[in-house]
Amino acid sequence: MAIRVQLTERQAAAREEYESFTRQAVAPHADAWDRAERLPEEFLEEFAARGLLGAAVPAGYGGAELDPITFGLLNEELGRGCSSVRSLVTVHGMASYAVARWGGDRQREHWLPRFATGGAIGAFALTEPGAGSDVKALRTTARRTDDGFRLTGQKRWITFGQRADVYLLFARLDGREAAFLVPRDAPGLTVRPVTGMLGTKASMLAELSLVDCLVAPEALLGRPGFGLAAVAASALELGRYSVAWGCVGLAQACLDASLDHADRRETFGVRLRDHQLVQRMIADMATGTAAARLLCQQAGWLRQDRSTESLHATWLAKYHASRTAFRSASDAVQVHGAQGCGDGHPVQRYLRDAKVMEIIEGSTELQQTTIAESAYHSRTRTTPTERVTA
Amino acid sequence: MTTADHKPQILAFLAQFFGEHRLTDDEDIFATGFVNSLFIMQLVLFVEGEFDITVDDDDLEMANFNTVRAIDALVTRKRAAVGAAAQHS
């Protein structure tokens, strides 16, 4: 597997633009948004006006159609400033990608131009009180009627569910899993805010209650059963890829904050940066972050090549990046001491957000199981001679 | 283009998931217990990349992917459609 690490000029320029935007318009407000548990409408308008909501929308529908590496860089830089903003790109991107990849002409023509401009925000509604990583446990049902479909069930912890205009929502139809595009104003749908979460507090989570919720016949996205597996899996893959890059940014933010603080703060007559045990934490953050970035880049190049290995590479990247982000955040709080534990200090937020990263888009334990299984698959692909010489 | 053209590539791709097990043309891939949740996406990426076709929403039926023979038939049908479209353009 070849690894490329050099960004193109265009990718490097995009990274600079995202870094500048995050530094000026995202990071200074992230703690206030965290406390308010929401992103302000003015920010969403600015974000949309910059075309950042169209990251995963094809150019033919007015989107930016970012290549995988550039999309990753956007997630990294936003993740460096605010994981909730990065979450918006994740779930909106998942909905955009699913419609672009698997939607019919009418669905694409209706939703994609709106997704590109922020005229509509999409969310991904899979999780239920009893079904998270275990998709087979879906309990929400759909039944065909003369005027479309009627959906009944509960969805919980839906990121940006409070703000979304349409939900990519999963339910059982005739006993098989199916995906629907459910507009927020669909009769029978009630949206309730979920507050008091541990991390990514500004990602405006919601619980959706569907009671005989009516959607039109064209709301069905993809084909039930086998087709749904492709719709859900490909959207979740993009989500996992987005979160992995966001974790790189989060870990980088922990490193940046720790470097600054350890340089300024003195104890026992020397700067913190001169204590060897502090150096150990900074070295681990720097190394872990660099390694996570390389894994994300590898996944990105493989996605760009549409390689079958891109999926496994994304699991590796998300697993390592989320673990690195949490360890880095924990160490960053340690470096900052009591200051880092204080209300409103960014590293405290980083720690809370980083824990969430180990749970969403495939928990750490699910990643470990899948990666271990794939390792056995990989082993059977190589001959004993290749294993010895590798 | 005959259907026999694609089977060696399909079998070579599938072999990585099946170890010592030798798949027959009509054996149900999904009933074997060898594949995991990533497999469907890997299979779609493989078919698209290897044979330069696009798997559409309408193609996403279990009957198009559950055996080597079914995948072979799908590829043959899709490539024939691409060839016909190219001739008319």
Side-chain angles (χ1 to χ4, degrees):
Chain A
M1 176 185 304
I3 298 175
R4 287 166 275 175
V5 295
Q6 188 71 42
L7 299 181
T8 65
E9 280 185 28
R10 181 176 286 194
Q11 288 165 345
R15 195 205 64 76
E16 278 185 33
E17 179 194 330
Y18 303 149
E19 189 274 336
S20 171
F21 172 71
T22 300
R23 182 163 31 81
Q24 292 171 36
V26 177
H29 310 291
D31 287 314
W33 295 340
D34 181 70
R35 279 192 294 275
E37 298 194 42
R38 61 188 308 106
L39 297 181
E41 277 301 309
E42 314 84 74
F43 172 75
L44 293 175
E45 285 168 16
E46 182 185 1
F47 199 69
R50 286 176 168 268
L52 297 174
L53 284 173
V57 177
Y61 294 94
E65 196 174 341
L66 297 183
D67 67 78
I69 293 292
T70 308
F71 181 74
L73 295 168
L74 172 63
N75 282 275
E76 178 183 348
E77 292 305 329
L78 291 175
R80 199 170 166 185
C82 175
S83 291
S84 293
V85 175
R86 195 271 311 140
S87 292
L88 173 63
V89 172
T90 302
V91 297
H92 185 72
M94 290 164 76
S96 302
Y97 176 81
V99 173
R101 181 67 177 88
W102 304 114
D105 289 343
R106 287 179 65 185
Q107 289 168 325
R108 286 199 290 261
E109 283 159 16
H110 181 79
W111 289 114
L112 293 179
R114 290 169 171 79
F115 285 161
T117 60
I121 287 180
F124 191 79
L126 173 64
T127 305
E128 298 182 358
S133 296
D134 181 10
V135 177
K136 295 287 180 194
L138 268 184
R139 305 265 320 247
T140 298
T141 59
R143 60 183 171 87
R144 293 176 202 275
T145 61
D146 292 341
D147 45 1
F149 299 92
R150 293 275 181 175
L151 308 175
T152 298
Q154 297 282 326
K155 296 291 175 181
R156 191 171 282 178
W157 304 302
I158 305 307
T159 300
F160 282 96
Q162 292 177 43
R163 180 58 183 77
D165 300 287
V166 63
Y167 305 91
L168 177 58
L169 188 142
F170 297 82
R172 284 194 181 284
L173 176 67
D174 303 326
R176 303 197 296 170
E177 297 102 350
F180 297 87
L181 289 164
V182 180
R184 184 194 183 86
D185 59 2
L189 169 64
T190 306
V191 179
R192 295 188 194 86
V194 174
T195 57
M197 296 297 285
L198 172 70
T200 57
K201 291 169 77 79
S203 55
M204 302 176 76
L205 266 58
E207 179 172 327
L208 313 183
S209 175
L210 303 113
V211 180
D212 256 352
C213 173
L214 175 64
V215 293
E218 57 267 27
L220 182 65
L221 181 76
R223 302 172 82 81
F226 184 84
L228 180 278
V231 173
S234 59
L236 284 166
E237 272 305 301
L238 182 72
R240 199 167 290 126
Y241 180 72
S242 165
V243 170
W245 276 99
C247 287
V248 174
L250 185 48
Q252 183 66 51
C254 294
L255 175 61
D256 293 340
S258 298
L259 288 171
D260 286 345
H261 184 76
D263 195 39
R264 285 194 307 267
R265 172 93 166 132
E266 285 191 10
T267 59
F268 304 104
V270 295
R271 292 176 300 179
L272 271 185
R273 62 177 285 178
D274 296 320
H275 290 288
Q276 290 183 333
L277 293 177
V278 171
Q279 290 170 355
R280 194 280 296 165
M281 289 189 273
I282 287 174
D284 284 354
M285 282 186 227
T287 309
T289 305
R293 187 176 287 114
L294 283 171
L295 285 172
C296 285
Q297 287 178 347
Q298 174 179 262
W301 292 119
L302 288 168
R303 281 181 75 86
Q304 187 153 307
D305 292 344
R306 299 191 55 73
S307 166
T308 58
E309 295 192 51
S310 65
L311 287 83
H312 182 60
T314 299
W315 281 71
L316 293 180
K318 196 273 179 178
Y319 174 58
H320 183 76
S322 59
R323 302 258 292 181
T324 295
F326 185 71
R327 278 200 305 270
S328 298
S330 178
D331 281 348
V333 171
Q334 194 70 22
V335 168
H336 283 74
Q339 283 187 42
C341 298
D343 182 31
H345 196 288
V347 295
Q348 187 230 54
R349 171 168 51 87
Y350 299 157
L351 181 59
R352 290 186 283 103
D353 289 350
K355 179 35 77 180
V356 175
M357 300 306 118
E358 286 203 291
I359 296 168
I360 59 172
E361 259 65 297
S363 66
T364 291
E365 293 72 25
L366 188 64
Q367 308 269 331
Q368 289 165 334
T369 305
T370 305
I371 290 168
E373 191 181 340
S374 295
Y376 277 107
H377 276 139
S378 302
R379 190 165 185 265
T380 59
R381 289 207 301 266
T382 58
T383 65
T385 309
E386 286 173 322
R387 284 205 294 273
V388 168
T389 56
Chain B
M1 184 67 61
T2 65
T3 57
D5 290 334
H6 315 121
K7 284 182 187 167
Q9 292 137 286
I10 296 167
L11 282 165
F13 169 74
L14 294 175
Q16 66 186 290
F17 301 95
F18 288 83
E20 300 299 314
H21 182 81
R22 290 287 167 261
L23 268 177
T24 60
D25 287 0
D26 295 309
E27 190 173 357
D28 188 336
I29 294 166
F30 296 95
T32 58
F34 282 91
V35 295
N36 64 14
S37 59
L38 294 180
F39 176 73
I40 293 175
M41 278 313 300
Q42 286 174 302
L43 185 55
V44 170
L45 283 171
F46 161 74
V47 166
E48 291 189 328
E50 186 73 23
F51 303 110
D52 199 22
I53 59 174
T54 299
V55 174
D56 298 314
D57 169 35
D58 290 346
D59 303 318
L60 288 177
E61 287 288 357
M62 179 73 90
N64 285 327
F65 290 94
N66 63 345
T67 67
V68 172
R69 194 184 303 280
I71 299 168
D72 186 25
L74 172 72
V75 172
T76 302
R77 199 164 61 245
K78 299 290 289 185
R79 295 192 76 175
V82 171
Q87 279 187 341
H88 285 97
S89 63

